[in-house]
Amino acid sequence: MDGPAAAGKTTTCLALSKSFDLRYLESGRTYRIIAFEALQRRIPVDNATKVTGLCDELITASRSVSLLTSGRYASDNLRATRVNVAVSAVAKIAEVRQRVTSLIRLWAGAQPRCVIEGRDIGTTIFPAATVKFYLTAKAEVRAMRRARQERAASYEHVLDDVIRRDEADMSRTTSPLVPAEDAIEIDTTELTIEQVLRLMTSACRDRGLVPVGEPSSAIDVGRARSGPHFPKKFSAPPPSS
């Protein structure tokens, strides 16, 4: 699951993980941990050598893959404004991305089935994933959602941050944010969570995944409904004239 900030990735990933009995991972949390630690230690986040060294230290101290799911860090700290700003600089360091990619692949290899959200999961980390989604929405709508979640920040401030992060993610040299060629793209601007989840669940069934408590024979029913070629892009239908 890839896409820009506040497009609905976390909400839908958690719902899919429950429906299909999948282990869930937010890959961006690791970059936030590194950015948070860099700020705490007064390490310039644009110093690739020092940040990479910090990354290696954190991986060693956390005994490899557990850095991905470390419970030592409170979500409020990792999503503080200063971390939101710093994480873009950390995430564009190629050596850091290589290390985090290796951690994610190790973690996923130890799971029976999983769903992972991020910015380059379907393009770089798992190009052969069974199902790929790319969620997006208008920047103004995503900013409104994020402002409601965070409450402390003004809409204007959040919108500026969303636009800044989009630019940083989409323009970086290493693993920029783009939809994978075979990803199912869903514009969530005018869709409800329920509508998005119905689309996703249908796509998962079409690729052979069975929801929890549903008999295996239901796969054929799901495929019959969606057809052999699941549409690549979804958005709300235009209003009728």
Side-chain angles (χ1 to χ4, degrees):
M1 180 94 67
D2 293 317
K9 299 189 301 296
T10 300
T11 300
T12 52
C13 274
L14 288 171
L16 289 177
S17 70
K18 183 176 181 180
S19 295
F20 291 92
D21 191 23
L22 309 171
R23 292 292 305 279
Y24 161 72
L25 180 68
E26 178 194 0
S27 66
R29 180 179 173 84
T30 304
Y31 294 106
R32 288 182 176 276
I33 289 173
I34 298 169
F36 174 79
E37 286 287 355
L39 292 171
Q40 291 293 98
R41 304 180 191 200
R42 301 184 183 279
I43 296 174
V45 292
D46 58 353
N47 187 315
T49 300
K50 290 187 177 180
V51 174
T52 301
L54 170 63
C55 179
D56 288 337
E57 179 184 336
L58 293 173
I59 290 173
T60 300
S62 65
R63 298 179 183 177
S64 189
V65 298
S66 63
L67 177 63
L68 297 171
T69 55
S70 175
R72 291 180 49 208
Y73 302 89
S75 293
D76 288 348
N77 290 335
L78 295 184
R79 295 193 176 277
T81 300
R82 64 183 194 135
V83 177
N84 287 341
V85 174
V87 71
S88 296
V90 169
K92 74 179 184 180
I93 299 174
E95 294 80 4
V96 171
R97 297 200 72 87
Q98 290 168 2
R99 286 155 172 76
V100 174
T101 293
S102 296
L103 289 180
I104 294 171
R105 286 173 175 162
L106 282 172
W107 179 88
Q111 315 306 320
R113 299 196 305 182
C114 59
V115 56
I116 304 175
E117 68 161 284
R119 300 292 196 277
D120 63 344
I121 308 301
T123 53
T124 301
I125 303 180
F126 295 111
T130 303
V131 189
K132 299 178 188 177
F133 293 110
Y134 185 92
L135 263 59
T136 188
K138 292 181 179 178
E140 294 80 5
V141 172
R142 290 186 283 121
M144 184 64 70
R145 293 171 183 169
R146 181 58 57 83
R148 287 172 181 167
Q149 291 173 348
E150 297 181 352
R151 296 183 182 179
S154 68
Y155 166 76
E156 291 76 14
H157 176 79
V158 175
L159 178 59
D160 289 343
D161 187 62
V162 164
I163 293 172
R164 177 197 60 77
R165 182 69 193 271
D166 285 354
E167 173 62 24
D169 287 337
M170 295 176 182
S171 65
R172 65 173 175 246
T173 303
T174 303
S175 300
L177 171 62
V178 294
E181 291 185 2
D182 55 345
I184 297 168
E185 298 179 44
I186 303 177
D187 186 333
T188 68
T189 300
E190 298 181 27
L191 297 177
T192 65
I193 290 296
E194 290 74 18
Q195 289 173 320
V196 174
L197 286 173
R198 279 199 294 272
L199 292 170
M200 290 182 161
T201 299
S202 181
C204 289
R205 282 199 182 101
D206 188 50
R207 284 156 175 75
L209 297 179
V210 184
V212 175
E214 189 172 283
S216 298
S217 59
I219 296 176
D220 295 331
V221 175
R223 287 175 175 167
R225 289 173 178 167
S226 58
H229 301 292
F230 201 79
K232 183 174 177 3
K233 291 188 178 183
F234 290 94
S235 60
S240 57
S241 57

